Amino acid sequence: MSEEIQPSMDYNLDADSELRFEVEDKNAKVYVTLISGFAEMFGTELVKKKKYEFVMGAKVAIFTYHGCVLHLAGKTEVSYISKETPMIQYLNCHAALEQMRVVAEEKDERGPVVMVVGPMDVGKSTLCRILLNYAVRLGRRPLYADTDVGQGSLSIPGTIGTILVERPASIEEGVSQTAPLIYHFGHKTPSGNSVLYKAVISKMAEVTLESMNENKRTKHSGIIINTCGWVKGDGYANLVHTAQAFEVNAIFVLDQERLYNELLRDIPSFVRVVLLPKSGGVVERSKDLRVENRDLRIKEYFYGHKTPLYPFSFEVKFVDLKLYKIGAPPLPDSCMPLGMKAEDNKTKLVAVTPNLGLTHHILAVSFAEFTEEDVIGTNVLGFVCVTHVDMERQSVMILSPQPRPLPNTLLLYSELQFMDSHA
């Protein structure tokens, strides 16, 4: 049977335009090669004559300031050239941040701490990536804080994290995930436990701001913060809390005037709030696609992306599991003595008895050694997945990136699940 010939085409781009394409077919592989001129993808420069590969889920915009010729081969859902792009405005934002860094260097102060906000699917992660890439191309070493627990880029869903960015993101794999500082939250949206979310944000902000003082280049380079797409009600309150916790001095609002005006009203006047357009290439992701993306992130954690990883599977007895979850169900006031209010249990550590319901759940391996320790404020070592629960043997089967035994530390329950199709 002859192999299907994939479409192949050269695109001539004028200055200040971009080639956009999407890959939706599970089996499709799309290749892009820069033939001549200069081009970049989300702030990372393409190397001439090098073939870049993109697979299912890729939503790509390759921009050129000077004009270029790109060769595109493979089956895309859509591919076109656009001259309507906000890249010049994004470049101006980078230039403003760079001016703040220069002033920070002269005065030996903290560089710009900027938060990127907006509703779902407006390109927040993309703008963060562009700003980070432009900064490192100038020799800066900014910190990147990702507070999006549902679609974050630093670890598996249900977590937030910070990483030091020292080199431009890879065209094919994105921001380097070497040695990030990751905190467990355990829900796929902040609404799962808003009190806990704010507490974890506060702790991560404290540690991140402290770490800036250890290195002058990082201190002057500042922080770029990505946020969730939940911008109303409690979601808005979370954004304001994040801005206060990180002591931001600039906020970039993507594509929503209402949010922009609310922040102008509620944020101190010394914080610069800037309204920016979203890119026309940004598309809305369906609920199913978001679920698929979350599953893919977890799968990549255990099995790798392009370089395959080989996780371990082993049995752990119930008696050896120090399993807890953060947040207990609230006690109704009717259960309390007259005149007393039930205390807030949202950040309380509760022991979990292993049962069949634990199957497929992700567990975070905490650095905290004792339950008395501040578990919320302690970053995690990694993650394991419960693939099977055997009530007769009083044991669970664990999928783990590391061989047995499990570290003698706490395991924190997450509502996120992973069906291991490799098993």
Side-chain angles (χ1 to χ4, degrees):
M1 197 169 138
S2 62
E3 193 178 329
E4 184 188 346
I5 297 170
Q6 296 289 9
S8 179
M9 187 175 171
D10 283 352
Y11 287 85
N12 286 287
L13 276 71
D14 295 330
D16 299 336
S17 61
E18 64 188 13
L19 171 66
R20 297 174 183 161
F21 65 87
E22 294 171 35
V23 187
E24 287 193 5
D25 191 324
K26 266 187 179 165
N27 305 310
K29 285 188 178 177
V30 174
Y31 299 95
V32 174
T33 310
L34 175 64
I35 305 297
S36 63
F38 298 91
E40 60 180 50
M41 179 180 147
F42 308 140
T44 303
E45 291 180 291
L46 272 70
V47 177
K48 230 171 254 168
K49 310 293 183 192
K50 182 177 175 180
K51 190 188 274 190
Y52 295 97
E53 181 188 297
F54 298 93
V55 293
M56 188 194 89
K59 290 176 174 49
V60 178
I62 298 175
F63 179 80
T64 177
Y65 285 106
H66 307 287
C68 69
V69 177
L70 292 164
H71 181 73
L72 183 69
K75 187 184 173 190
T76 58
E77 187 69 19
V78 63
S79 57
Y80 61 96
I81 294 173
S82 174
K83 295 194 177 194
E84 295 294 316
T85 162
M87 280 299 293
I88 301 298
Q89 283 153 287
Y90 294 172
L91 179 66
N92 290 339
C93 289
H94 157 69
L97 294 178
E98 188 52 31
Q99 282 179 335
M100 292 166 81
R101 292 181 187 115
V102 171
V103 172
E105 257 178 334
E106 287 168 359
K107 298 182 177 178
D108 193 23
E109 292 175 347
R110 193 186 290 158
V113 180
V114 60
M115 190 166 88
V116 178
V117 303
M120 287 195 294
D121 299 325
V122 292
K124 295 185 293 297
S125 304
T126 300
L127 177 55
C128 288
R129 187 165 156 180
I130 291 167
L131 295 173
L132 289 165
N133 283 335
Y134 282 170
V136 294
R137 279 165 64 179
L138 290 179
R140 302 295 184 186
R141 291 179 59 185
L143 287 159
Y144 176 44
D146 197 337
T147 66
D148 186 350
V149 291
Q151 302 286 330
S153 60
L154 296 183
S155 184
I156 68 168
T159 63
I160 61 172
T162 307
I163 197 167
L164 176 65
V165 182
E166 299 181 90
R167 60 186 65 85
S170 150
I171 291 284
E172 295 163 324
E173 296 189 21
V175 177
S176 162
Q177 289 169 22
T178 310
L181 188 70
I182 301 298
Y183 288 86
H184 167 80
F185 174 60
H187 305 270
K188 53 185 176 280
T189 164
S191 61
N193 187 336
S194 269
V195 176
L196 175 61
Y197 183 75
K198 286 179 180 172
V200 179
I201 289 281
S202 294
K203 187 60 193 179
M204 188 174 89
E206 182 191 323
V207 172
T208 306
L209 292 171
E210 228 170 78
S211 71
M212 292 178 83
N213 300 323
E214 290 171 20
N215 182 290
K216 290 262 171 136
R217 257 172 80 194
T218 299
K219 179 182 175 182
H220 304 146
S221 298
I223 310 173
I224 308 286
I225 306 161
N226 186 31
T227 58
C228 294
W230 183 28
V231 295
K232 291 182 180 173
D234 284 348
Y236 177 75
N238 290 338
L239 290 180
V240 173
H241 174 80
T242 304
Q244 291 167 340
F246 276 94
E247 300 169 20
V248 304
N249 44 24
I251 301 176
F252 295 154
V253 185
L254 280 169
D255 195 47
Q256 197 178 84
E257 279 191 41
R258 173 184 163 169
L259 179 60
Y260 167 70
N261 284 297
E262 284 178 328
L263 288 166
L264 276 181
R265 179 193 70 206
D266 297 334
I267 295 289
S269 56
F270 63 81
V271 178
R272 301 179 197 183
V273 183
V274 181
L275 181 64
L276 292 169
K278 70 173 180 179
S279 166
V282 172
V283 289
E284 280 191 32
R285 288 173 291 185
S286 65
K287 195 175 179 183
D288 288 347
L289 188 59
R290 288 174 171 279
V291 170
E292 217 170 281
N293 284 348
R294 278 198 287 269
D295 287 345
L296 189 61
R297 297 284 311 164
I298 299 172
K299 184 181 174 184
E300 283 177 2
Y301 176 80
F302 289 108
Y303 289 99
H305 179 52
K306 290 208 166 174
T307 309
L309 301 175
Y310 301 96
F312 300 85
S313 190
F314 51 85
E315 188 181 53
V316 180
K317 294 290 185 187
F318 285 179
V319 291
D320 297 325
L321 284 175
K322 297 179 185 172
L323 184 56
Y324 293 84
K325 69 177 283 190
I326 302 172
L331 268 177
D333 288 341
S334 56
C335 294
M336 300 298 292
L338 195 63
M340 281 186 74
K341 283 275 182 197
E343 62 175 312
D344 185 14
N345 292 325
K346 297 283 190 182
T347 56
K348 198 171 183 178
L349 208 59
V350 183
V352 175
T353 306
N355 56 54
L356 291 173
L358 202 57
T359 314
H360 304 308
H361 277 272
I362 297 291
L363 308 177
V365 183
S366 174
F367 267 121
E369 290 183 23
F370 304 103
T371 51
E372 289 76 26
E373 207 174 319
D374 180 15
V375 176
I376 294 168
T378 305
N379 56 307
V380 296
L381 188 64
F383 304 91
V384 296
C385 179
V386 177
T387 54
H388 181 67
V389 178
D390 189 327
M391 296 306 288
E392 275 186 35
R393 290 175 57 84
Q394 293 281 288
S395 69
V396 294
M397 285 301 288
I398 291 282
L399 184 72
S400 165
Q402 295 289 327
R404 69 170 78 217
L406 274 177
N408 186 28
T409 55
L410 300 183
L411 294 173
L412 299 174
Y413 173 87
S414 170
E415 73 167 13
L416 283 112
Q417 293 177 283
F418 173 58
M419 301 283 279
D420 184 17
S421 54
H422 289 69

